[in-house]
Amino acid sequence: MKNYSKPVLDGRRIWTTPEKEIYSSGHLACPGCGVAISARTALKVFGKKTILVVPACCFAVIDGPFPYSAAGVPLLHCAFESAAATASGVRAALDQMKINDINVVAWAGDGGTYDIGLQALSAAAERNENMIYVCYDNEAYMNTGIQRSSATPAGAWTTTTPAYPGKPERKKDLASIMIAHKIPYFATASISYMNDFIDKFRKAKDIKGFRFIHLLSPCAPGWKHAESDTIELGFLAVRSRIFPLFEVENNKWKITYNPHPTSINKYLDLQGRFKHVKGEDIKAIQTEVDKRWEELCEKCDLPSQINPPEQPVQHTRNQVLSKEQFQEVLSKHFINFSDNENELAYQMLKSLWLDKSYSHFSDEELICNIIARVQMCDCT
Amino acid sequence: MPRHELLTGNEAVAHAVAMAKADVIGIYPITPQTTIIEEICNLAANKTFSPKIVHVESEHSAMATIIGAAFTGVRTFTATSSQGLALMHELLHWAAGGRLPIVLANVNRAMAPGWSIWTDQNDSLSQRDTGWMQFYCESAQEVLDTIFLAYRVSEQVLIPSMVVLDAFVLSHTSEPVEIPDNETINKFLPNFTPSFKLDIDNPCSFGALLRPQFYQEVRHKLNDAMSEALIKINESDKLWKQLTGREWGIVTEYRADDADYLFVTSATTASTAKPVIDKLRKEGLKIGLIKIRVFRPFPFEQVKKYLTKCKRAIIFDRNISYGHHGIFAQEIKSALYGVKNSPEILCYTGGLGGKDITPQLIEETIIKGTKTKLNGSLFEWI
């Protein structure tokens, strides 16, 4: 167990992104939308030599109606089920024109990936098409107003699973499906773990062939959570092992962040879609989470830690960092905030540092949390 | 110098696509189209041309792939039939709405159930309102020439083209075909220069949400471009005649000038009908033939020009709109509405699912058509 108490993050290079924005303000994401944050950061990593292919999904609306586009790179809207096929065509044309320094990125929701787009996706993966496919998974058809998808987790309320106990079936294991295609790179990523996120997007960018990144994307209106809890939920999903951060490169599985496990209760409590989930149902979800974690550990050649402690590890903090100390920490993260952003970040630090409800976060995690929140504020 | 080869309709498609140097080709097999993509793969394998062939998992993805490629600025192609074309339906709208000069060959095959691999036109005519140009061909030579014309006109007016040929009767039947030399093709079909594309130096989004104040205007422009297409088809046909000595027209006539009766049809049925016209002419019946080659954009003026000269038009459709009658017949009737000297119109549908259309069948239909006492509109199955 000792092996996993130290976050892998510490032993890893801390990444930064260019200060210059590609994704612009004025987009149409809901307040607290996870996609706005991931799109912004992903585009910074990919750079301007990128073509986005977007099927019907929230992002097709978020980017803006004609004649606006927030993406800052060429963006091709395509039919719901055709992101991977359309992106294959873009790549084929670039190949014919002997252009090989452009990233072709399919950016799709869970409906367009898990459900209607799975056939074209599987085919593109089998052909090892030279593209990066990003699925931002908000676990239901959110653009049409919260209908169940095969990415919706068991127990979740949606407008099409309105009766107790919510969606009866478990979430489709897309990771296994994609990895079974033996693609060069598969990763899960979270906006709450920006360093891990950037690390994986950078890695994906440099690999040739079919790359797949699965993002868990909290959705305030769909999950019925407070708009301010987006980042928190990202953390909790990873910490509770509901959404483990891992990658598979050339068939080598690796957990990229092995958290102190927390129980799933807090993750569920913050979301209205799980309001009715109590007692035995929670136990059933926990059992499923543990089982999948165990399977994952086995694939990663790690001994698993199945039972989460009743009480999460507490970090006690006595004194708020001074502004100077905080600046030092930020610069360690290569963060270049504007004066306003610095001020905002420091105000957040002051309010959260001693807050007991954040004592389950390590210092590192809390600062990452604040950085992500500030990035989100700027963005939305 | 042109050369002569014995080619099936499907081989003619493949050779034309190779000579047009299509860059990205999405392929998926379906009978009776399959030999097109096989021949394309052979031509690519022996370096006749160097396309990027994408081996997709469905016709839907074949069209999606070439839509992606066309938006990136290259010349594209795919081929299909029947169920495959129906599966593409959503993306046919996408290609036309996106104003992409895609060319598709559709080998007419009846729709299931029950399964049929034989010809009728209900597959392509079901796509009538997707915003594609449609050319119905009757010979391998016409198929070959029409692929070039389709690329040329599509790239001029930014509307996709569907080149349609009958299953087996044309797709798998060998005929001598004159293949123009590359110089001729280069004169007729210049390299493709896209008027818009996905460009990292000028990042735009394509296909974004169109609010009500814009949507209709965009569709209005597509419809205007269809009218322009008819002019461009005509111009291109004239140029083709200069270069090769062949022209195919928009609506073509055979012995129609002084005809009292006109047999109106499309595709290979027209070839079968010609000797019947000759025979009946010999027997003293003043009959002629009209073939509608361009179905979209619909040639209102040409239809009016020819049909107002006769007393009675006998329209033979290899298709049916259930609850109405043959689809060419409906269109012809609508073109003649309120026109002075409109002829009497008799609508016949036959040859569905590959049911053989023989010279005898055509002769019987014509005789029946000339003798029937008409009281209003007539629709009959043959």
Side-chain angles (χ1 to χ4, degrees):
Chain A
M1 235 171 281
K2 225 175 180 182
N3 294 345
Y4 312 110
S5 58
K6 192 178 173 194
V8 184
L9 183 72
D10 287 351
R12 231 162 140 179
R13 184 164 169 195
I14 306 273
W15 293 108
T16 181
T17 55
E19 205 178 335
K20 200 164 160 36
E21 299 291 343
I22 293 178
Y23 185 60
S24 77
S25 57
H27 60 77
L28 299 181
C30 304
C33 173
V35 187
I37 303 163
S38 53
R40 178 192 183 199
T41 313
L43 281 168
K44 281 190 172 196
V45 176
F46 292 143
K48 295 205 71 127
K49 287 190 166 184
T50 298
I51 293 174
L52 285 181
V53 177
V54 180
C57 62
C58 289
F59 196 73
V61 177
I62 291 171
D63 185 61
F66 171 83
Y68 307 108
S69 174
V73 296
L75 187 153
L76 179 56
H77 292 268
C78 67
F80 207 171
E81 62 280 54
S82 70
T86 309
S88 302
V90 171
R91 174 58 76 194
L94 292 174
D95 285 351
Q96 278 300 96
M97 295 188 283
K98 309 215 175 344
I99 297 171
N100 50 24
D101 59 348
I102 290 180
N103 305 302
V104 176
V105 179
W107 188 273
D110 49 296
T113 305
Y114 280 70
D115 290 348
I116 197 167
L118 189 64
Q119 174 179 319
L121 171 63
S122 169
E126 183 267 334
R127 294 193 304 271
N128 198 22
E129 291 283 352
N130 189 13
M131 70 170 81
I132 303 160
Y133 191 110
V134 180
C135 170
Y136 66 92
D137 173 9
N138 50 27
E139 301 196 316
Y141 290 88
M142 295 312 187
N143 199 23
T144 45
I146 327 171
Q147 291 80 35
R148 166 216 196 274
S149 79
S150 63
T152 304
W157 167 93
T158 68
T159 59
T160 51
T161 52
Y164 180 84
K167 186 194 172 194
E169 303 83 6
R170 62 165 74 90
K171 183 182 174 92
K172 186 188 276 182
D173 183 3
L174 186 71
S176 294
I177 295 172
M178 293 318 299
I179 294 160
H181 288 79
K182 312 286 181 210
I183 52 177
Y185 189 66
F186 173 93
T188 62
S190 164
I191 46 167
S192 302
Y193 289 83
M194 259 314 161
N195 195 63
D196 181 80
F197 179 106
I198 294 168
D199 198 33
K200 286 165 173 170
F201 274 75
R202 284 183 68 111
K203 203 178 252 187
K205 186 187 172 186
D206 292 339
I207 292 170
K208 284 249 173 312
F210 197 87
R211 295 142 280 170
F212 189 97
I213 295 180
H214 180 195
L215 298 175
L216 184 69
S217 202
C219 169
W223 294 10
K224 308 278 174 222
H225 70 71
E227 289 154 7
S228 55
D229 279 340
T230 303
I231 302 297
E232 176 80 9
L233 280 164
F235 273 106
L236 290 170
V238 173
R239 294 172 64 92
S240 65
R241 296 166 167 174
I242 281 177
F243 187 77
L245 292 178
F246 69 102
E247 65 185 5
V248 183
E249 198 178 346
N250 295 324
N251 291 326
K252 178 104 184 84
W253 295 61
K254 186 180 160 197
I255 292 173
T256 58
Y257 179 61
N258 196 343
H260 297 290
T262 58
S263 77
I264 59 172
N265 294 48
K266 190 160 188 214
Y267 178 74
L268 301 178
D269 284 350
L270 285 179
Q271 302 176 58
R273 64 174 174 158
F274 293 118
K275 196 170 62 186
H276 55 282
V277 177
K278 303 244 155 55
E280 286 304 307
D281 297 335
I282 294 179
K283 268 191 199 156
I285 295 173
Q286 183 71 61
T287 307
E288 176 75 15
V289 167
D290 291 346
K291 192 170 139 250
R292 290 179 73 155
W293 175 261
E294 201 180 350
E295 286 167 7
L296 178 64
C297 285
E298 205 173 294
K299 283 168 179 157
C300 297
D301 263 343
L302 291 176
S304 62
Q305 175 196 351
I306 296 166
N307 299 316
E310 288 301 314
Q311 287 299 319
V313 180
Q314 298 294 314
H315 300 268
T316 43
R317 281 178 278 266
N318 300 321
Q319 206 183 345
V320 185
L321 295 178
S322 73
K323 224 170 181 172
E324 288 70 30
Q325 285 170 317
F326 183 55
Q327 279 304 317
E328 213 169 287
V329 177
L330 284 185
S331 67
K332 185 185 143 207
H333 283 81
F334 296 95
I335 291 295
N336 287 314
F337 280 151
S338 67
D339 289 349
N340 282 345
E341 286 172 329
N342 265 329
E343 187 54 37
L344 181 65
Y346 192 62
Q347 291 305 326
M348 281 191 192
L349 181 86
K350 279 204 292 192
S351 67
L352 300 180
W353 197 252
L354 302 179
D355 187 335
K356 286 236 163 19
S357 61
Y358 284 85
S359 59
H360 58 291
F361 281 10
S362 70
D363 295 1
E364 177 80 47
E365 284 177 315
L366 188 61
I367 285 165
C368 284
N369 182 320
I370 290 166
I371 291 170
R373 280 168 192 251
V374 172
Q375 284 179 329
M376 181 171 79
C377 288
D378 180 45
C379 197
T380 54
Chain B
M1 282 288 287
R3 63 180 205 278
H4 292 82
E5 272 189 44
L6 205 56
L7 296 179
T8 63
N10 279 357
E11 286 165 349
V13 171
H15 281 257
V17 168
M19 294 184 81
K21 298 196 238 14
D23 282 303
V24 176
I25 303 174
I27 63 166
Y28 190 77
I30 183 170
T31 305
Q33 166 280 122
T34 311
T35 52
I36 296 178
I37 59 164
E38 285 177 339
E39 187 64 12
I40 282 174
C41 289
N42 285 333
L43 290 169
N46 67 26
K47 305 270 191 293
T48 306
F49 75 136
S50 315
K52 172 88 181 177
I53 294 174
V54 187
H55 301 258
V56 291
E57 85 301 339
S58 70
E59 290 88 352
H60 193 281
S61 285
M63 185 50 65
T65 299
I66 62 173
I67 285 172
F71 267 119
T72 315
V74 300
R75 193 171 278 164
T76 58
F77 178 78
T78 192
T80 190
S81 288
S82 184
Q83 313 295 127
L85 188 67
L87 185 61
M88 276 182 196
H89 174 76
E90 178 196 23
L91 295 179
L92 296 181
H93 281 283
W94 208 286
R99 300 300 296 274
L100 300 173
I102 288 170
V103 172
L104 173 152
N106 181 65
V107 181
N108 271 146
R109 163 183 161 177
M111 297 292 301
W115 285 116
S116 166
I117 55 170
W118 298 278
T119 194
D120 77 36
Q121 297 169 328
N122 261 52
D123 59 349
S124 52
L125 290 172
S126 294
Q127 310 306 333
R128 183 186 68 174
D129 300 334
T130 53
W132 282 58
M133 292 188 272
Q134 289 196 354
F135 301 89
Y136 287 81
C137 300
E138 65 171 304
S139 68
Q141 184 73 61
E142 187 182 358
V143 166
L144 182 106
D145 291 358
T146 304
I147 294 280
F148 300 125
L149 178 125
Y151 275 116
R152 186 183 151 89
V153 177
S154 282
E155 288 168 12
Q156 285 172 335
V157 299
L158 300 177
I159 301 177
S161 283
M162 194 181 293
V163 177
V164 186
L165 53 158
D166 285 306
F168 302 112
V169 183
L170 180 48
S171 69
H172 286 61
T173 305
S174 294
E175 297 174 61
V177 174
E178 183 179 301
I179 302 177
D181 55 25
N182 282 324
E183 203 185 318
T184 307
I185 300 305
N186 292 342
K187 273 186 204 155
F188 185 73
L189 184 62
N191 286 337
F192 175 45
T193 317
S195 34
F196 56 83
K197 63 173 184 176
L198 293 161
D199 181 1
I200 54 165
D201 295 323
N202 177 25
C204 298
S205 83
F206 294 94
L209 182 73
L210 270 183
R211 285 168 293 176
Q213 66 263 43
F214 301 118
Y215 185 90
Q216 185 173 312
E217 187 185 335
V218 171
R219 291 298 178 260
H220 189 155
K221 283 183 174 167
L222 173 58
N223 197 48
D224 286 350
M226 273 284 188
S227 311
E228 196 196 336
L230 218 45
I231 297 163
K232 296 291 180 194
I233 292 166
N234 204 23
E235 280 174 15
S236 298
D237 207 35
K238 296 269 181 304
L239 176 60
W240 192 248
K241 190 178 184 190
Q242 272 177 29
L243 294 170
T244 67
R246 291 187 297 277
E247 63 179 335
W248 298 100
I250 289 169
V251 170
T252 55
E253 58 95 20
Y254 181 70
R255 305 185 77 165
D257 253 3
D258 61 338
D260 290 336
Y261 301 96
L262 284 177
F263 185 70
V264 186
T265 192
S266 61
T268 55
T269 311
S271 304
T272 316
K274 278 175 198 164
V276 181
I277 302 293
D278 291 341
K279 178 172 179 265
L280 293 173
R281 275 274 178 178
K282 246 184 224 167
E283 291 167 10
L285 187 69
K286 287 178 89 177
I287 176 99
L289 171 76
I290 295 293
K291 182 185 87 160
I292 301 197
R293 168 174 140 82
V294 181
F295 178 72
R296 278 290 179 278
F298 193 77
F300 286 95
E301 290 313 313
Q302 289 85 343
V303 165
K304 274 188 235 172
K305 182 180 123 192
Y306 288 114
L307 268 68
T308 49
K309 285 193 213 157
C310 73
K311 288 195 290 197
R312 186 173 270 201
I314 300 155
I315 304 173
F316 192 99
D317 268 301
R318 200 167 204 167
N319 57 73
I320 177 73
S321 174
Y322 304 105
H324 204 302
H325 40 247
I327 295 163
F328 279 82
Q330 293 173 31
E331 300 260 340
I332 291 164
K333 277 186 176 179
S334 82
L336 293 171
Y337 178 76
V339 173
K340 225 174 124 187
N341 301 327
S342 286
E344 294 175 333
I345 292 181
L346 295 92
C347 313
Y348 296 100
T349 278
L352 296 196
K355 188 176 176 196
D356 212 2
I357 299 177
T358 58
Q360 292 74 16
L361 189 79
I362 291 173
E363 187 177 340
E364 283 164 29
T365 308
I366 291 173
I367 301 294
K368 194 193 252 188
T370 52
K371 291 192 173 151
T372 301
K373 275 209 176 134
L374 199 59
N375 182 17
S377 178
L378 178 136
F379 168 65
E380 264 181 33
W381 287 82
I382 293 295

